[in-house]
Amino acid sequence: MRTHPVIAAVAAATLAVTGLISASASPSATTLDVQRPAAAQARAATAADPCGYTAAVPADRFKGIPTFDAGKAAKPYTATLVTTQGSITFRALTDKAPCTTYSFRFLAERFYYNLTHCHRLVTQRIFVLQCGDPTGTGSGGPGYSFNDENLADATYPAGTVAMANAGPNTNGSQFFLVTKDTTLRPNYTPFAVVTSGMNVLAKIAAAGEDDQNGPGDGYPNEYVAILHVLIKPSTSS
């Protein structure tokens, strides 16, 4: 992948993030898979351990492994991705995907996503922007995996935020935002809905990508860095 000049400017003002730009394996244009061999699957969900947070490789920018707290997980919140292309806010579905929203908040509050960039844009068939890999290669992860949830009758209309994965119950840090209504198999945990910033996603999608993974699938032409993530409590989930 080519290096964008914004990287140098941002990195000069903050701590450098290593490995932001490097080659990645070519994914299928019809899947949202994390590009690494499937890690050991998370533990099966139980009443005592519904999420199955389990140590896994790789452990990029390791921030620890969450310990699920049902009380904290139930608290509604919104997240705003402050990016180089504008802000995107989404409402976390804490009632439907408590393990996923708890993990996202855990990472965001520990600045895991700061100065990462969205490494994949698909403008044909599935219409998504994929983010959340601190290595920028499509193969990075937070050092743990956890179980799928909210998959029964899952759909992916425009504005859906869902997890990318390397197979069943291998969620980590990578996620995608749906830029247009799309049809995917219900393999990816939907955990949030965009409430503002669809115009930002539309602008990014309209600029296209470089086709490095195939027609309509590659690195975004508009560089999209997540500068930081703002988590705010909300009144409803």
Side-chain angles (χ1 to χ4, degrees):
M1 293 181 179
R2 61 188 183 281
T3 301
H4 193 284
V6 175
I7 295 175
V10 173
T14 56
L15 292 176
V17 179
T18 61
L20 279 176
I21 299 295
S22 62
S24 64
S26 296
S28 166
T30 58
T31 63
L32 277 303
D33 296 334
V34 174
Q35 295 304 303
R36 63 172 183 264
Q41 293 186 0
R43 294 185 294 268
T46 66
D49 181 18
C51 303
Y53 297 127
T54 305
V57 293
D60 303 302
R61 261 191 178 184
F62 186 63
K63 301 296 183 181
I65 299 175
T67 299
F68 186 70
D69 182 317
K72 291 181 180 179
K75 295 179 180 179
Y77 70 87
T78 62
T80 299
L81 309 181
V82 180
T83 84
T84 50
Q85 298 301 323
S87 294
I88 303 164
T89 297
F90 52 78
R91 175 174 53 87
L93 303 176
T94 54
D95 56 336
K96 297 179 180 179
C99 297
T100 308
T101 55
Y102 191 82
S103 172
F104 184 89
R105 183 171 189 163
F106 173 87
L107 293 173
E109 290 181 338
R110 288 160 177 77
F111 314 114
Y112 184 86
Y113 294 113
N114 289 16
L115 297 186
T116 64
H117 70 271
C118 300
H119 62 276
R120 184 184 181 198
L121 176 68
V122 186
T123 58
Q124 297 180 17
R125 296 178 292 281
I126 58 173
F127 309 111
V128 299
L129 178 68
Q130 189 167 339
C131 315
D133 175 5
T135 73
T137 65
S139 62
Y144 65 89
S145 60
F146 60 95
N147 295 324
D148 300 322
E149 56 188 341
N150 196 30
L151 293 184
D153 302 317
T155 59
Y156 304 88
T160 299
V161 187
M163 295 301 295
N165 60 52
N169 300 323
T170 60
N171 300 292
S173 61
Q174 292 191 44
F175 62 94
F176 61 89
L177 304 103
V178 180
T179 62
K180 293 172 60 175
D181 290 351
T182 190
T183 300
L184 285 166
R185 288 179 293 179
N187 295 341
Y188 310 97
T189 296
F191 72 94
V193 177
V194 173
T195 56
S196 67
M198 286 303 298
N199 59 320
V200 175
L201 289 173
K203 178 180 68 171
I204 294 166
E209 39 63 48
D210 64 5
D211 291 347
Q212 66 176 263
N213 300 322
D217 184 352
Y219 187 80
N221 288 332
E222 290 282 3
Y223 176 70
V224 188
I226 299 174
L227 303 178
H228 58 277
V229 181
L230 299 175
I231 301 291
K232 291 185 178 181
S234 64
T235 57
S236 61
S237 61

